[in-house]
Amino acid sequence: MSPPAPATTAPLSRPAPPAAKAVTAPPDWRAHLLSHIERYKRYPAEARIRRQEGVAVVGFTVDSHGKVLSRRLVRSSGVPLLDAEALRVLRAASPLPLTADAGLEGQEILVALEFFIE
């Protein structure tokens, strides 16, 4: 019979965090979503007159029917008028074209909305 193994000083292991919810949306879902949102986006007249440009990043969550439940400004464009439009457009574009089987409900989705004068 062999002697017992010596005690180790390794830290106790902890259970792994729960796995992220699987996203089952088709690969082109983001392009389809952005195309839908762009149809509702308006360049604020005052910002256009002032030649103000920027990119606002917004985060939002949706329910299983694509209805926007919450929205927030993640990164400012640096122009309050453009930031306000980035948030407004999510309300106007709701419900978004995301199906219940996409697996996106309750997850925050981030999109960058660009405002550039051509």
Side-chain angles (χ1 to χ4, degrees), residues 1 8 13-14 19-20 25 28 55 63 75 80 88-89 95 116 118:
M1 190 178 227
T8 65
S13 62
R14 299 179 192 268
D28 63 344
V55 177
D63 67 11
R75 188 176 71 225
R88 185 211 64 84
V89 73
F116 293 107
E118 298 176 2

Side-chain angles (χ1 to χ4, degrees), residues 29 33 52 80 104-105:
W29 71 269
L33 174 66
Q52 295 173 316
L104 295 168
E105 58 274 357

Side-chain angles (χ1 to χ4, degrees), residues 57-103:
V57 177
V58 292
F60 58 94
T61 59
V62 296
D63 67 11
S64 61
H65 302 289
K67 180 181 175 190
V68 175
L69 299 175
S70 67
R71 56 195 164 78
R72 70 183 181 99
L73 186 65
V74 175
R75 188 176 71 225
S76 173
S77 66
V79 180
L81 289 169
L82 301 181
D83 295 345
E85 174 58 14
L87 292 170
R88 185 211 64 84
V89 73
L90 291 173
R91 185 174 52 248
S94 183
L96 301 172
L98 299 170
T99 60
D101 61 348

